[in-house]
Amino acid sequence: MTLHKLTLSKARDMLAEKSVSSVELTQALLDRIAAHDDTIKAFISVDQKAALDQAKKADADLAAGRAGELCGIPLALKDILCTEGLKTSCGSQILDTFIPTYDATVVSTLKDSGAVILGKTNLDEFAMGSSTENSSYQITVNPWDTNHVPGGSSGGSAAAVAAQFCCASLGTDTGGSIRQPASHCGVVGLKPTYGRVSRFGLVSYASSLDQIGPIARTVEDAAVLLNTISGNDPKDSTSA
């Protein structure tokens, strides 16, 4: 099977069976991004070196039998989630030089689970939009038909999943910003119940409505990703 076509669950099984390595899978997805994202423009930034370093560590953990829930799985993050040492722009030139000194809780949770972070995806500036045409960096297009929008504001995350640039991604939803682009791009998106997922490290649009949630190619994959990022967080007093 062509590696970029693997669902999260299938990739997890193959990694556990050692029929594919995380480095192989990560490199295949990085190659696909390099070949096609000039057209789709799903990513604002791709951190190739860090992704391959994380993949090498994941392979070592898998070999040692200390693999986490998502060990070796390459994911993408909406560029509104703080990532230590990696630019978090919120789709705005205002934050073009903002390099967070900490990870959002969902990001640190993914890293603890062994996930590989490929990069940060495009969005309407500060998540204010529903088409991903309003980023100050670029306009993301729908992978199924580049004459159409992918929806928004998590359009970069939905397009990245639909274009098979990653096994799954995280987006954020205030009034439809995961569900609408997931629908536009023919993938699965879920806005969790408020409090289910920590919002610490999410650059807020409307903090009483914002939620972080999964975008994936199957319901099973979305459930696996949601289960990983869910839970109480002392840093977020509204988390359950």
Side-chain angles (χ1 to χ4, degrees):
M1 174 182 280
T2 306
L3 293 181
H4 67 260
K5 294 183 178 180
L6 292 176
T7 64
L8 184 156
S9 298
K10 180 63 175 175
R12 191 169 62 160
D13 290 345
M14 291 180 68
L15 287 164
E17 295 162 0
K18 298 181 174 55
S19 56
V20 68
S21 72
S22 179
V23 168
E24 291 170 331
L25 177 57
T26 300
Q27 188 63 63
L29 290 168
L30 289 169
D31 289 346
R32 184 164 174 83
I33 293 167
H36 299 288
D37 200 40
D38 281 350
T39 300
I40 306 301
K41 300 189 185 304
F43 283 88
I44 290 176
S45 58
V46 176
D47 195 350
Q48 180 168 328
K49 183 182 183 304
L52 289 171
D53 286 346
Q54 291 165 24
K56 290 173 187 174
K57 181 180 184 302
D59 284 333
D61 288 343
L62 285 160
R66 53 175 184 264
E69 183 71 14
L70 296 177
C71 192
I73 300 294
L75 304 174
L77 304 174
K78 185 176 181 178
D79 198 18
I80 201 167
L81 301 170
C82 286
T83 43
E84 183 179 3
L86 181 61
K87 181 173 76 172
T88 298
S89 73
C90 301
S92 176
Q93 296 287 346
I94 296 170
L95 296 181
D96 186 62
T97 59
F98 175 49
I99 310 294
T101 58
Y102 66 97
D103 283 325
T105 293
V106 290
V107 177
S108 59
T109 299
L110 290 177
K111 288 180 177 178
D112 289 344
S113 77
V116 173
I117 308 303
L118 295 170
K120 310 292 287 294
T121 57
N122 197 30
L123 65 151
D124 292 299
E125 189 168 7
F126 292 111
M128 296 181 183
S130 56
S131 65
T132 318
E133 295 173 293
N134 302 304
S135 166
S136 67
Y137 289 92
Q138 59 200 19
I139 294 175
T140 301
V141 298
N142 193 311
W144 297 105
D145 185 339
T146 57
N147 293 313
H148 290 73
V149 299
S153 63
S154 304
S157 290
V161 173
Q164 300 174 343
F165 292 157
C166 56
C167 291
S169 66
L170 290 185
T172 63
D173 193 312
T174 303
S177 286
I178 289 174
R179 295 162 290 170
Q180 186 244 38
S183 176
H184 278 37
C185 291
V187 293
V188 177
L190 175 69
K191 179 181 184 179
T193 302
Y194 191 79
R196 178 78 166 141
V197 178
S198 170
R199 294 179 297 105
F200 179 79
L202 162 64
V203 180
S204 178
Y205 175 12
S207 63
S208 60
L209 298 171
D210 293 344
Q211 273 299 304
I212 302 164
I215 299 175
R217 292 204 290 277
T218 70
V219 172
E220 179 183 8
D221 288 357
V224 169
L225 186 50
L226 177 62
N227 282 340
T228 302
I229 63 174
S230 296
N232 179 252
D233 178 14
K235 296 176 182 177
D236 178 0
S237 62
T238 66
S239 68

